[in-house]
Amino acid sequence: MAAGLPALMLLLFAGLTAVDAVTTRAGCLDAAREAALAAARGEPGSTAGARYAPAGADVSVTVAGDRVTVTVRAPVRSFGARLPRLSVSGTAVAAVEPGSPGPLP
């Protein structure tokens, strides 16, 4: 029992970190989608992305021709001191809407 308890705790911390990583990635995808749609309509994409992004996330908007690409990166809180630090990202692409004033980063 004494030998198995540390391994069990490590698995518990790794599992909790994995669940938090999946939840954070879903938040990054939602924020990237909202930012891409906003930028395609001519609104500031980085502002819309920051509104929906997880805490500590970095929103980058790239405009190339008639496409807007948004990438949101966020750090994942690890539940163990010895577990490696993780970072997850989500990317969304949207076409620029015709008749819009132009995409804004």
Side-chain angles (χ1 to χ4, degrees), residues 23-66:
T23 304
T24 304
R25 185 164 192 273
C28 287
L29 286 172
D30 288 342
R33 182 176 44 245
E34 292 295 328
L37 290 174
R41 288 188 303 257
E43 301 169 9
S46 56
T47 304
R51 196 172 341 159
Y52 293 99
D58 177 41
V59 180
S60 66
V61 180
T62 306
V63 179
D66 63 343

Side-chain angles (χ1 to χ4, degrees), residues 1 5 13 19 23 25 29 31 44 46 48 50 53-54 58 61 64-65 68 72 75 77 88 91 102:
M1 179 75 171
L5 190 59
F13 288 147
V19 168
T23 304
R25 185 164 192 273
L29 286 172
S46 56
D58 177 41
V61 180
V68 177
V72 178
R77 179 179 43 136
V88 295
T91 302

